[in-house]
Amino acid sequence: MIPLPRELRRCRDCGQAVLITVTRAGRHLLVDARPDERGNQACYRVAPRTWQSRSLDGAGALPPAAWEHRFVPHVATCKPRPRQEALPAALPDNVVRLDTKRKAHRPR
Ligand SMILES: [Zn+2]
């Protein structure tokens, strides 16, 4: 089963298309948009725009069922884009340096 384009979202960190699934523990897990045999998550659609995922790595985990496909967790492939390039040491006269006033960025 391949997710429909309307079921995909863009990762906030890298911009790649991702599928948001719900784990059996009720938490959200982002997986890559296309099924991949190397993946360790068995995913399937349970309702329109709602996908369930379960780990295949856990002790006693059953192999993927006929209705499940393997997906790679997006965290394994995400390559975050740099947020902003470093400013040059000397700025033009009409530019005010604000980065010294800014709070440290807290990664999500
Ligand atoms: Zn990403």
Side-chain angles (χ1 to χ4, degrees):
M1 194 182 314
I2 295 175
L4 300 172
R6 67 173 180 255
E7 293 178 310
L8 301 177
R9 297 288 179 268
R10 293 276 167 201
C11 173
R12 288 188 296 186
D13 294 327
C14 70
Q16 290 294 310
V18 294
L19 175 66
I20 300 175
T21 66
V22 180
T23 68
R24 291 198 165 167
R27 307 202 53 169
H28 286 148
L29 175 72
L30 273 62
V31 297
D32 287 349
R34 294 243 155 223
D36 188 329
E37 283 308 307
R38 296 167 298 171
N40 67 349
Q41 297 294 317
C43 303
Y44 61 101
R45 186 186 289 117
V46 292
R49 298 187 188 210
T50 305
W51 286 67
Q52 181 120 46
S53 61
R54 68 180 178 90
S55 174
L56 298 169
D57 289 342
L62 298 173
W67 61 87
E68 293 175 320
H69 281 84
R70 286 174 173 263
F71 285 79
V72 175
H74 181 63
V75 67
T77 60
C78 186
K79 296 180 183 72
R81 293 176 294 210
R83 297 200 177 260
Q84 183 178 3
E85 292 180 24
L87 292 174
L91 293 175
D93 289 340
N94 61 345
V95 176
V96 177
R97 181 175 286 275
L98 294 175
D99 56 340
T100 56
K101 310 278 189 239
R102 189 174 293 157
K103 291 179 185 168
H105 171 69
R106 213 178 58 214
R108 279 179 274 187

